[in-house]
Amino acid sequence: MAIFNLPMPSTVTICLTAIIGLLSLLLALWFIILKPKSANYLKLDASSHVVITGGSSGIGLEIAKNISATGARVTILARNVRKLNAAKKEITGSSNCGPVSVVSLDLAVSDEKSYKTVEDAATKIVSDYGAPDILFNCAGTSLAKPISESDFSLYPWLASVNYFGTVAATKAFLPHMKSNGGGRILITSSGAGQIGLFGYTAYSASKFALRGFAESLAMEHNEQDNVFISVAYPPNTDTPGFEEENKEKPKETRLMEDEAGLYQADVVAKGMVEGAKEGRYSIYWGVEGWMLATVTGGMGPCDSTADFLSQVCLTSLLRFIGMFYLMDFRRIVKRVRRDGK
Ligand SMILES: *[C@@H]1O[C@H](CO)[C@@H](O)[C@H](O)[C@H]1NC(C)=O
């Protein structure tokens, strides 16, 4: 018997495929449950220095609190001086925390001149406190609006804050980190950097851009110079920024996001800290995060044999499951169009 003129696979082929599938499933489970610590694990102590962009609120602030508890020095970069000082107070509120310094800086760069201010700030920070052991790129913002309702300026604005801001900080600190013997650089993409959703033509594009940036960067800098790149795909997270964003969010976007649930900022922060210390390339949360990371793995670097095998064996199955999500999203768009906003 033949389907599409292809011969039926033999019993041996079927059995082998089943065994490989089962083995990779077990390996994936082992990896998810036990999470073996990588050999590149970076331990932080009072002599360490960690720089966090967007460290005055949301996930960045939670990361700052977590790092500070190890006794390491934390430098947070953000625009608003009042928010920076409030954040410093909050971080240093608990005992045994390391020193915290704040630097007011606009990371929404778009040309050589505005990049220069970031580079100068980085040079100053490094000469004051030393090169960072980890750079967390958390500065970012979001605004959901369909293209037909948004100004063109939304696109360069989100690109400059989310994408160019991360490129600028990374480019400015990287040479210092390299000459200091290496470090970790975390790039914050988003679940919306793995799948495009209604209302996110500007936001998703900036977050997809970060994936391409991270993937290339990880090829330029890796274990050979002890610089490890991580890219995080945080889900919807309960932060002041998310709350602000929700006020104007299109109904379609909100309904789609409701299906994914809401994570607490400290949970997301812990995942980023752990992933960056381990030097893991891909950082995600929960079963849905793992599914999305596996099905969108593409040609990105793999963190383990288990990850590689589960991508090889499970991508087609996850793509199939993913169709049900997409069908749901289509229904939402249709329904809102029919019933009005
Ligand atoms: C910081 O995050 C790590 C995970 O990377 C976690 O084990 C630890 O408990 C956190 N520390 C604090 C003070 O939240």
PDB file of all heavy atoms in Angstrom, residues 69-84:
ATOM      1  N   ALA A  69      21.066  40.726  46.964  1.00  0.00           N
ATOM      2  CA  ALA A  69      21.045  39.840  48.136  1.00  0.00           C
ATOM      3  C   ALA A  69      22.277  38.932  48.195  1.00  0.00           C
ATOM      4  O   ALA A  69      22.592  38.377  49.247  1.00  0.00           O
ATOM      5  CB  ALA A  69      19.776  38.994  48.126  1.00  0.00           C
ATOM      6  N   THR A  70      23.003  38.798  47.076  1.00  0.00           N
ATOM      7  CA  THR A  70      24.220  37.981  47.099  1.00  0.00           C
ATOM      8  C   THR A  70      25.416  38.795  47.603  1.00  0.00           C
ATOM      9  O   THR A  70      26.514  38.262  47.732  1.00  0.00           O
ATOM     10  CB  THR A  70      24.583  37.464  45.682  1.00  0.00           C
ATOM     11  OG1 THR A  70      24.933  38.600  44.865  1.00  0.00           O
ATOM     12  CG2 THR A  70      23.438  36.713  45.035  1.00  0.00           C
ATOM     13  N   GLY A  71      25.188  40.093  47.814  1.00  0.00           N
ATOM     14  CA  GLY A  71      26.282  40.956  48.259  1.00  0.00           C
ATOM     15  C   GLY A  71      27.013  41.618  47.109  1.00  0.00           C
ATOM     16  O   GLY A  71      27.896  42.453  47.301  1.00  0.00           O
ATOM     17  N   ALA A  72      26.662  41.271  45.882  1.00  0.00           N
ATOM     18  CA  ALA A  72      27.311  41.855  44.704  1.00  0.00           C
ATOM     19  C   ALA A  72      26.913  43.318  44.532  1.00  0.00           C
ATOM     20  O   ALA A  72      25.843  43.738  44.980  1.00  0.00           O
ATOM     21  CB  ALA A  72      26.927  41.061  43.457  1.00  0.00           C
ATOM     22  N   ARG A  73      27.770  44.069  43.866  1.00  0.00           N
ATOM     23  CA  ARG A  73      27.422  45.448  43.534  1.00  0.00           C
ATOM     24  C   ARG A  73      26.463  45.449  42.355  1.00  0.00           C
ATOM     25  O   ARG A  73      26.626  44.684  41.406  1.00  0.00           O
ATOM     26  CB  ARG A  73      28.667  46.256  43.161  1.00  0.00           C
ATOM     27  CG  ARG A  73      28.312  47.624  42.553  1.00  0.00           C
ATOM     28  CD  ARG A  73      29.538  48.439  42.242  1.00  0.00           C
ATOM     29  NE  ARG A  73      30.138  48.992  43.440  1.00  0.00           N
ATOM     30  CZ  ARG A  73      29.681  50.088  44.064  1.00  0.00           C
ATOM     31  NH1 ARG A  73      28.614  50.728  43.619  1.00  0.00           N
ATOM     32  NH2 ARG A  73      30.278  50.526  45.144  1.00  0.00           N
ATOM     33  N   VAL A  74      25.442  46.312  42.465  1.00  0.00           N
ATOM     34  CA  VAL A  74      24.457  46.421  41.390  1.00  0.00           C
ATOM     35  C   VAL A  74      24.440  47.849  40.868  1.00  0.00           C
ATOM     36  O   VAL A  74      24.414  48.796  41.654  1.00  0.00           O
ATOM     37  CB  VAL A  74      23.045  46.039  41.909  1.00  0.00           C
ATOM     38  CG1 VAL A  74      21.991  46.380  40.871  1.00  0.00           C
ATOM     39  CG2 VAL A  74      22.978  44.559  42.250  1.00  0.00           C
ATOM     40  N   THR A  75      24.512  48.013  39.556  1.00  0.00           N
ATOM     41  CA  THR A  75      24.335  49.341  38.956  1.00  0.00           C
ATOM     42  C   THR A  75      23.079  49.293  38.106  1.00  0.00           C
ATOM     43  O   THR A  75      22.961  48.442  37.213  1.00  0.00           O
ATOM     44  CB  THR A  75      25.542  49.720  38.068  1.00  0.00           C
ATOM     45  OG1 THR A  75      26.724  49.710  38.871  1.00  0.00           O
ATOM     46  CG2 THR A  75      25.367  51.101  37.464  1.00  0.00           C
ATOM     47  N   ILE A  76      22.129  50.179  38.425  1.00  0.00           N
ATOM     48  CA  ILE A  76      20.915  50.203  37.613  1.00  0.00           C
ATOM     49  C   ILE A  76      20.874  51.449  36.737  1.00  0.00           C
ATOM     50  O   ILE A  76      21.203  52.554  37.164  1.00  0.00           O
ATOM     51  CB  ILE A  76      19.621  50.068  38.461  1.00  0.00           C
ATOM     52  CG1 ILE A  76      19.549  51.129  39.558  1.00  0.00           C
ATOM     53  CG2 ILE A  76      19.511  48.688  39.079  1.00  0.00           C
ATOM     54  CD1 ILE A  76      18.245  51.092  40.342  1.00  0.00           C
ATOM     55  N   LEU A  77      20.490  51.233  35.497  1.00  0.00           N
ATOM     56  CA  LEU A  77      20.386  52.317  34.528  1.00  0.00           C
ATOM     57  C   LEU A  77      18.928  52.503  34.150  1.00  0.00           C
ATOM     58  O   LEU A  77      18.230  51.533  33.861  1.00  0.00           O
ATOM     59  CB  LEU A  77      21.147  51.984  33.238  1.00  0.00           C
ATOM     60  CG  LEU A  77      22.587  51.498  33.325  1.00  0.00           C
ATOM     61  CD1 LEU A  77      23.125  51.206  31.937  1.00  0.00           C
ATOM     62  CD2 LEU A  77      23.434  52.552  33.994  1.00  0.00           C
ATOM     63  N   ALA A  78      18.487  53.749  34.177  1.00  0.00           N
ATOM     64  CA  ALA A  78      17.136  54.076  33.707  1.00  0.00           C
ATOM     65  C   ALA A  78      17.113  55.578  33.474  1.00  0.00           C
ATOM     66  O   ALA A  78      18.077  56.279  33.804  1.00  0.00           O
ATOM     67  CB  ALA A  78      16.078  53.655  34.715  1.00  0.00           C
ATOM     68  N   ARG A  79      16.032  56.072  32.914  1.00  0.00           N
ATOM     69  CA  ARG A  79      15.977  57.494  32.581  1.00  0.00           C
ATOM     70  C   ARG A  79      15.628  58.354  33.793  1.00  0.00           C
ATOM     71  O   ARG A  79      16.287  59.333  34.103  1.00  0.00           O
ATOM     72  CB  ARG A  79      14.893  57.715  31.516  1.00  0.00           C
ATOM     73  CG  ARG A  79      15.449  58.144  30.187  1.00  0.00           C
ATOM     74  CD  ARG A  79      14.334  58.319  29.208  1.00  0.00           C
ATOM     75  NE  ARG A  79      13.162  57.554  29.607  1.00  0.00           N
ATOM     76  CZ  ARG A  79      11.943  57.690  29.076  1.00  0.00           C
ATOM     77  NH1 ARG A  79      11.750  58.558  28.129  1.00  0.00           N
ATOM     78  NH2 ARG A  79      10.945  56.957  29.484  1.00  0.00           N
ATOM     79  N   ASN A  80      14.557  57.941  34.494  1.00  0.00           N
ATOM     80  CA  ASN A  80      13.938  58.786  35.502  1.00  0.00           C
ATOM     81  C   ASN A  80      14.695  58.754  36.845  1.00  0.00           C
ATOM     82  O   ASN A  80      14.765  57.712  37.511  1.00  0.00           O
ATOM     83  CB  ASN A  80      12.500  58.290  35.682  1.00  0.00           C
ATOM     84  CG  ASN A  80      11.675  59.214  36.532  1.00  0.00           C
ATOM     85  OD1 ASN A  80      12.080  59.578  37.627  1.00  0.00           O
ATOM     86  ND2 ASN A  80      10.513  59.595  36.034  1.00  0.00           N
ATOM     87  N   VAL A  81      15.244  59.917  37.250  1.00  0.00           N
ATOM     88  CA  VAL A  81      16.073  59.987  38.465  1.00  0.00           C
ATOM     89  C   VAL A  81      15.265  59.669  39.722  1.00  0.00           C
ATOM     90  O   VAL A  81      15.733  58.972  40.622  1.00  0.00           O
ATOM     91  CB  VAL A  81      16.707  61.390  38.592  1.00  0.00           C
ATOM     92  CG1 VAL A  81      17.539  61.488  39.867  1.00  0.00           C
ATOM     93  CG2 VAL A  81      17.578  61.693  37.378  1.00  0.00           C
ATOM     94  N   ARG A  82      14.027  60.175  39.767  1.00  0.00           N
ATOM     95  CA  ARG A  82      13.183  59.935  40.941  1.00  0.00           C
ATOM     96  C   ARG A  82      12.918  58.430  41.115  1.00  0.00           C
ATOM     97  O   ARG A  82      13.049  57.890  42.204  1.00  0.00           O
ATOM     98  CB  ARG A  82      11.856  60.698  40.763  1.00  0.00           C
ATOM     99  CG  ARG A  82      11.031  60.875  42.025  1.00  0.00           C
ATOM    100  CD  ARG A  82       9.762  61.680  41.727  1.00  0.00           C
ATOM    101  NE  ARG A  82       9.110  61.237  40.483  1.00  0.00           N
ATOM    102  CZ  ARG A  82       8.323  60.165  40.394  1.00  0.00           C
ATOM    103  NH1 ARG A  82       8.075  59.436  41.451  1.00  0.00           N
ATOM    104  NH2 ARG A  82       7.772  59.822  39.230  1.00  0.00           N
ATOM    105  N   LYS A  83      12.601  57.784  40.002  1.00  0.00           N
ATOM    106  CA  LYS A  83      12.349  56.330  40.058  1.00  0.00           C
ATOM    107  C   LYS A  83      13.617  55.562  40.427  1.00  0.00           C
ATOM    108  O   LYS A  83      13.568  54.565  41.155  1.00  0.00           O
ATOM    109  CB  LYS A  83      11.840  55.830  38.694  1.00  0.00           C
ATOM    110  CG  LYS A  83      10.350  55.962  38.505  1.00  0.00           C
ATOM    111  CD  LYS A  83       9.955  55.085  37.316  1.00  0.00           C
ATOM    112  CE  LYS A  83       8.557  55.379  36.821  1.00  0.00           C
ATOM    113  NZ  LYS A  83       8.375  54.859  35.452  1.00  0.00           N
ATOM    114  N   LEU A  84      14.756  56.039  39.913  1.00  0.00           N
ATOM    115  CA  LEU A  84      16.036  55.382  40.220  1.00  0.00           C
ATOM    116  C   LEU A  84      16.312  55.428  41.715  1.00  0.00           C
ATOM    117  O   LEU A  84      16.695  54.425  42.317  1.00  0.00           O
ATOM    118  CB  LEU A  84      17.173  56.071  39.460  1.00  0.00           C
ATOM    119  CG  LEU A  84      17.401  55.640  38.012  1.00  0.00           C
ATOM    120  CD1 LEU A  84      18.377  56.584  37.326  1.00  0.00           C
ATOM    121  CD2 LEU A  84      17.925  54.215  37.930  1.00  0.00           C
TER     122      LEU A  84
END
